[in-house]
Amino acid sequence: MPYPAGMDSTSPQAFSLELTPPEVEARCTALWQQFRSPGRVVTALVAMQSLFALAPAGARENAPYREIQAILARHADDARHLLLGESVQRVLNALQQRETREVGRIHADLSRNGFWQVASAAGHGRDGPELAGDVAWLAQWCQDARARAEAAGGYPDALDFRAAGIDAEEYTAMDELLRCLRSL
């Protein structure tokens, strides 16, 4: 890692950290016990991966660095897999309970791609009549929300979700869920 002019790795302002693969494995295992939430574990592991990206180029070529990267990637993949599975169940519950706010929270918790994966898996977990009912509910909710936002906007095609009392992020989540389920 390059240091500012006049500073090197022995400077009192520099910080050096040496880790072994077993130490990183132990820290990753501790994260699972500390957070118990796959989403928080993913966040912590991504932060750790970001820190390791600061390693000097020469260090990235050694076997321990590659082993540490593999450990982090394995734990991150496991956490993402659990997070997606947990999120599928949350979407299914939100659909059954007609919980628009929960759909918005799930959407906010995931990347766009992750949300589509979860929504697709949830849609495939519903039978034909259930899925049709979900699509009808989502379509009606989105149509009503859009009409209220248009009326509050005051101009043609001007949507004012805030004035209509609608959370724009919630609308976006519901609309994306509708588009995803319609595509199945």
Side-chain angles (χ1 to χ4, degrees), residues 1 12 14 17 22 30 34 39-40 46 80 92 103 107 115-116 121 131 142 153 155 180:
M1 178 165 126
L17 177 65
Q34 179 181 358
R40 289 186 177 185
V46 167
R80 283 186 189 99
L92 288 169
V103 172
H107 186 265
F115 184 77
W116 274 74
L131 183 58
C142 289
Y155 297 99
C180 181

Side-chain angles (χ1 to χ4, degrees), residues 27-100:
R27 182 62 197 137
C28 289
T29 300
L31 288 174
W32 286 99
Q33 295 167 353
Q34 179 181 358
F35 293 120
R36 298 190 191 272
S37 161
R40 289 186 177 185
V41 173
V42 167
T43 301
L45 290 167
V46 167
M48 287 176 68
Q49 287 173 319
S50 295
L51 289 174
F52 280 98
L54 297 173
R60 295 179 197 168
E61 302 305 319
N62 68 35
Y65 180 86
R66 289 191 307 273
E67 188 177 344
I68 286 170
Q69 289 294 20
I71 290 166
L72 292 172
R74 178 175 43 82
H75 281 276
D77 286 345
D78 290 348
R80 283 186 189 99
H81 180 75
L82 286 173
L83 176 61
L84 291 178
E86 196 177 80
S87 297
V88 168
Q89 190 56 51
R90 287 175 62 199
V91 168
L92 288 169
N93 291 339
L95 287 169
Q96 289 173 338
Q97 301 298 316
R98 303 296 194 235
E99 288 287 337
T100 59

